[in-house]
Amino acid sequence: MQFRVNARLPCCSTSILLHAAALFALPLAGHSASAARGQPMQMSGVVTEIVLDDFAHQTSRVEYRLDDVQSRRHATLRFDGAAPQGLHTGTRLSVTGVAGDGGSILLSADSASVQTMQATSLAMQTATTQSTAATVVSGVQNTIVIIANFTNATVTSTPSQIQNIMFSDPTGHSIDAMFRETSFGNVGFSGQVAGPFVINFSAASTCDLAGWANAADAAATAAGVNISSYPRRLYVMPTTEMSACGMQGAGQVGGSPSRAWVFDYTVSDVYAHELGHNLNMAHASTPASVYGDVSDDMAASGYPLRHFNAPHMEQMGWMPAGNIRTITASGTYAVAALESNPTQVPAPQILKILKPDTGDYYYLSYRAPLGLDSGLLAGYFNRVHVHKYAGNYAAYDTYRLALLDDAGVFSDTTNGITVTQVSHASDRATVQVQISGGGTPTCQRATPVLALSPSSQSGAAGSTRSYTLSLANKDNTYCSASSFSLADVIPSGWTGTLSPSTLSLAPGATGSATLSVTSVATAAAATYSATVNVSDAANSAHALSGSVAYVVQTATCVRSAPTIAFSPTSRSGSAGSSQSYTVSITSKDSSSCSASTLSLGRLIPSGWSASLSPTTVSLSPGAASSATLTVTSASNAAAATYSVQVNTTDSATPAHSASGSASDVVVQGDTQPPSVPTALTASVSKRTNVSLTWQAATDNVGVAGYEIWRNGARVATTAARSYSEALTGGAYTYYVVAYDAAGNRSGPSNSVSLTIKVR
Ligand SMILES: [Zn+2]
């Protein structure tokens, strides 16, 4: 085995790029290297690397094309096994292999299993030494987008739709806008959309990216487009070729001019992805998936346009060197959001840690929903991203290894590197980095995070206010749980409670407690502070404190009119009679008012008399007192309902004026006499016993009784309708008179006469 590519190759020296430019400026001039299949072949030239993206199946492959600028021959390099690492666009090499199908050269890598191959040799020549600093990829990329239809398949998007995707989306989501934003203004895309043109190929023919592109260039040139003025060339092809070619897009990696092919042409991030390859970016991967890091456009397709990850930002030179910090010692470090304006950040935006066993670097970064990154998957926010990248500015895949939550740990036991996310905010995260040079990761205690809510409350002196305490353990996951003691510090004489007063929390866990504070009743109006001290006898790193405010307010006295209520609310009697009422007066002042003295007055009808006792009441807020009002109506008062009132006045407080009333009903006297009793009869028994009976009289109110008159003199009264008495001998004449309770009397009834003879 004579394969001789061990180290990564440098990329993209200026001289190589010039060669490539010269070569691609004459795309139709070359021809396939032709040799009978299986015949030995030797060739020298410059490599073009093209990534074929099959997003749908999450696989990608790379084609290497070798162009010989002198002979104008070209061939596709096919390796037995993996291509040598470090083979990139612009690499100059000479190869010895055997001719394969379709103008390819078969090259043995290090496998002996492919019997059809002969031993090969591959010698790579490099024109420059390895560059050591990033070159900023900058400038407006002048781009021709050519819509190429096949003879039997067409692109269904219109030129204006593609124009919007590339250059002028009205919502600001064009490829141009995305690159300008994520590159901090370093890179933009401008140009034009040409076509559609029909090229002389049919759908599902052999996948021939270079042949299709050459034909599209020719068609555009024939239509008057000056292709050579566009160093970026992007071909939009019918979707039918997605399955025919096993890809949705393809892009040359680096080099200028460059080519990109888009088959899934309605999906913006496919354009971004293939143009990203043109700018020399490889894939944003995870160990499990080549397109797995969709925090970056160089990953799976079908997501909103987004920024690029930290390694790509460094590779492209878009992140100022001063905002990239290489960490070489253990400590606590802040990392600011990658999208933030680099001139206005509180901390570096990329932290790098050397991975000594491979020479790669770990990249720590933090993403925030700024600009187009507001469309990132939510799982990428609030977490430190840990990437691995070769870090020598060549087109190697980036690998996202971890997304850390608070207290989450990324550890590399081989190199003794531990990264713990301590905390995060909207614009930054804080990490603890431990670089021990080997060994197992250890527990790193960190100050917990204490939050008290609300930060301030107000209340009257003597009242109780409660605050919610939240405590988050920020130790890393290699630590055991801790017991945090809580203690309050409050003004002298006040009372405070913390429940619970101890929180046992595992690393990363958050617990809560309630702080209740009661001020003394005599506390003056002022803002007071209540403090919670957190301590841990086992770990001094766990001590911290937080405070809340308690604002004692002077209660405001609000004076209001009292209520005045009569009991009963109505009494009745005849003119000249007296009626008594109980009057209740209730204070409606607010509780912080002092007691008040109210004067009581009365208001009665003219000519009446009244007494009120007492005539003043002293009332505390909310208290009630009563007085008695006795009213005597005028003796000549007409029958009617009269109002009698009691009112309150307070010379110190006009608001205390109020009144209440009751009804005093004067009833008319009875002046109507009963009717005359009738049918008076008399009978005599036992010679001397006289019995009288008569018919009842009637009265408007009621007959109270009857007067018995004998011989002109009233001898008796009775409520009954009969009367008896014993007489001596003589002549007698009787009549009766009815009367009512008011003393009204009827006229006399008929008279009856009788004679008693005594023998
Ligand atoms: Zn790709």
Side-chain angles (χ1 to χ4, degrees):
M1 176 54 217
Q2 301 169 44
F3 206 71
R4 287 289 176 269
V5 183
N6 297 321
R8 296 188 183 91
L9 292 179
C11 169
C12 315
S13 73
T14 303
S15 62
I16 288 175
L17 292 177
L18 285 174
H19 280 296
L23 194 130
F24 276 91
L26 301 165
L28 296 174
H31 54 87
S32 294
S34 58
R37 189 174 181 279
Q39 291 300 302
M41 272 188 71
Q42 211 165 17
M43 196 173 158
S44 299
V46 179
V47 170
T48 299
E49 177 188 9
I50 298 173
V51 177
L52 313 180
D53 287 307
D54 187 359
F55 301 114
H57 298 93
Q58 297 186 41
T59 59
S60 77
R61 54 201 170 87
V62 177
E63 272 191 9
Y64 297 98
R65 178 175 145 124
L66 189 64
D67 285 276
D68 181 346
V69 72
Q70 262 81 42
S71 69
R72 295 185 178 178
R73 293 190 305 162
H74 60 81
T76 300
L77 305 181
R78 300 209 187 286
F79 295 92
D80 171 24
Q85 205 178 21
L87 199 57
H88 294 302
T89 298
T91 304
R92 303 185 65 177
L93 48 77
S94 57
V95 297
T96 302
V98 298
D101 292 331
S104 63
I105 304 178
L106 306 180
L107 302 168
S108 172
D110 53 3
S111 168
S113 64
V114 179
Q115 299 304 319
T116 56
M117 292 187 186
Q118 298 177 357
T120 61
S121 70
L122 168 63
M124 296 194 177
Q125 300 158 7
T126 61
T128 65
T129 55
Q130 180 167 336
S131 61
T132 55
T135 303
V136 179
V137 178
S138 65
V140 173
Q141 310 293 307
N142 208 16
T143 306
I144 182 73
V145 180
I146 304 176
I147 303 173
N149 288 332
F150 290 175
T151 55
N152 59 345
T154 58
V155 171
T156 57
S157 287
T158 65
S160 70
Q161 286 171 328
I162 294 170
Q163 172 83 22
N164 275 352
I165 289 175
M166 280 294 302
F167 307 117
S168 52
D169 179 71
T171 66
H173 287 65
S174 68
I175 299 301
D176 174 55
M178 183 277 288
F179 273 94
R180 286 179 190 275
E181 180 179 301
T182 193
S183 72
F184 302 123
N186 278 299
V187 167
F189 281 83
S190 71
Q192 64 159 309
V193 177
F197 304 114
V198 179
I199 59 174
N200 191 27
F201 288 87
S202 61
S205 60
T206 303
C207 193
D208 184 0
L209 295 178
W212 296 340
N214 291 342
D217 285 354
T221 301
V225 176
N226 180 11
I227 296 289
S228 64
S229 67
Y230 296 98
R232 303 294 177 198
R233 299 161 192 174
L234 187 147
Y235 306 94
V236 179
M237 300 269 173
T239 54
T240 51
E241 301 316 291
M242 293 199 299
S243 54
C245 290
M247 66 176 107
Q248 289 81 53
Q252 174 183 327
V253 181
S256 179
S258 64
R259 283 173 160 174
W261 294 260
V262 171
F263 302 95
D264 201 2
Y265 46 75
T266 62
V267 182
S268 293
D269 64 354
V270 175
Y271 294 76
H273 183 113
E274 305 309 341
L275 292 169
H277 282 315
N278 291 167
L279 297 183
N280 209 32
M281 281 186 272
H283 286 140
S285 306
T286 61
S289 168
V290 66
Y291 299 123
D293 179 17
V294 295
S295 72
D296 186 293
D297 291 289
M298 301 310 293
S301 72
Y303 296 87
L305 285 180
R306 53 215 180 262
H307 288 209
F308 293 95
N309 64 25
H312 280 150
M313 290 296 289
E314 185 197 45
Q315 183 203 356
M316 292 292 100
W318 296 335
M319 182 59 70
N323 292 39
I324 302 173
R325 178 172 180 176
T326 300
I327 294 172
T328 57
S330 299
T332 300
Y333 301 90
V335 57
L338 199 62
E339 303 87 345
S340 299
N341 181 339
T343 66
Q344 297 171 5
V345 287
Q349 288 164 283
I350 297 174
L351 301 177
K352 292 174 64 176
I353 306 167
L354 177 66
K355 183 175 179 291
D357 61 334
T358 60
D360 295 338
Y361 280 86
Y362 293 120
Y363 288 69
L364 309 182
S365 60
Y366 188 67
R367 300 290 282 269
L370 299 173
L372 291 170
D373 263 4
S374 57
L376 269 187
L377 299 179
Y380 288 113
F381 298 130
N382 305 319
R383 293 169 163 167
V384 166
H385 297 214
V386 181
H387 285 92
K388 184 185 73 171
Y389 181 52
N392 64 354
Y393 317 116
Y396 295 105
D397 288 352
T398 65
Y399 291 92
R400 197 198 67 229
L401 304 179
L403 290 166
L404 301 181
D405 288 305
D406 284 356
V409 175
F410 169 78
S411 63
D412 169 357
T413 54
T414 301
N415 294 290
I417 297 169
T418 306
V419 178
T420 306
Q421 178 169 316
V422 175
S423 63
H424 69 274
S426 61
D427 64 341
R428 78 192 79 173
T430 302
V431 292
Q432 273 190 336
V433 175
Q434 190 177 45
I435 302 175
S436 66
T440 54
T442 58
C443 162
Q444 294 179 58
R445 302 283 182 186
T447 306
V449 173
L450 173 66
L452 289 161
S453 175
S455 59
S456 178
Q457 292 187 85
S458 55
S463 63
T464 300
R465 290 292 177 268
S466 292
Y467 303 81
T468 299
L469 175 153
S470 166
L471 186 69
N473 183 344
K474 294 296 185 181
D475 293 349
N476 75 9
T477 53
Y478 295 103
C479 299
S480 56
S482 292
S483 180
F484 298 89
S485 297
L486 310 176
D488 60 75
V489 179
I490 55 174
S492 175
W494 294 29
T495 54
T497 58
L498 272 163
S499 179
S501 60
T502 302
L503 290 172
S504 185
L505 299 173
T510 299
S512 64
T514 300
L515 169 68
S516 296
V517 181
T518 306
S519 56
V520 291
T522 55
T527 298
Y528 297 84
S529 178
T531 300
V532 174
N533 289 327
V534 179
S535 62
D536 177 0
N539 292 290
S540 58
H542 284 166
L544 83 164
S545 62
S547 294
V548 293
Y550 182 129
V551 181
V552 172
Q553 290 183 322
T554 304
T556 306
C557 162
V558 179
R559 301 214 181 253
S560 304
T563 58
I564 300 173
F566 279 71
S567 178
T569 55
S570 178
R571 277 192 181 281
S572 61
S574 56
S577 65
S578 295
Q579 310 295 341
S580 286
Y581 304 85
T582 299
V583 185
S584 293
I585 303 101
T586 304
S587 166
K588 293 296 177 183
D589 289 351
S590 66
S591 61
S592 59
C593 296
S594 57
S596 297
T597 298
L598 307 179
S599 298
L600 305 184
R602 60 194 176 49
L603 186 62
I604 55 174
S606 173
W608 294 28
S609 61
S611 67
L612 179 62
S613 176
T615 54
T616 60
V617 290
S618 185
L619 294 176
S620 295
S625 188
S626 62
T628 301
L629 174 70
T630 302
V631 180
T632 303
S633 55
S635 56
N636 60 351
T641 298
Y642 298 84
S643 176
V644 294
Q645 280 189 10
V646 167
N647 54 58
T648 55
T649 54
D650 179 352
S651 58
T653 307
H656 282 162
S657 294
S659 65
S661 64
S663 297
D664 193 306
V665 182
V666 172
V667 181
Q668 186 66 51
D670 183 5
T671 58
Q672 190 174 338
S675 62
V676 175
T678 58
L680 175 67
T681 59
S683 61
V684 179
S685 60
K686 294 180 182 174
R687 298 171 65 104
T688 61
N689 285 349
V690 176
S691 293
L692 302 175
T693 63
W694 58 92
Q695 291 297 307
T698 59
D699 186 75
N700 63 321
V701 177
V703 175
Y706 299 88
E707 299 169 352
I708 313 299
W709 291 75
R710 170 174 26 94
N711 292 346
R714 190 177 69 184
V715 294
T717 60
T718 178
R721 286 187 294 107
S722 61
Y723 178 74
S724 298
E725 66 179 345
L727 296 175
T728 55
Y732 302 94
T733 297
Y734 287 92
Y735 62 87
V736 297
V737 171
Y739 63 90
D740 62 19
N744 299 305
R745 299 172 66 252
S746 68
S749 67
N750 60 298
S751 297
V752 294
S753 298
L754 55 90
T755 302
I756 304 295
K757 294 180 176 155
V758 180
R759 289 177 288 182

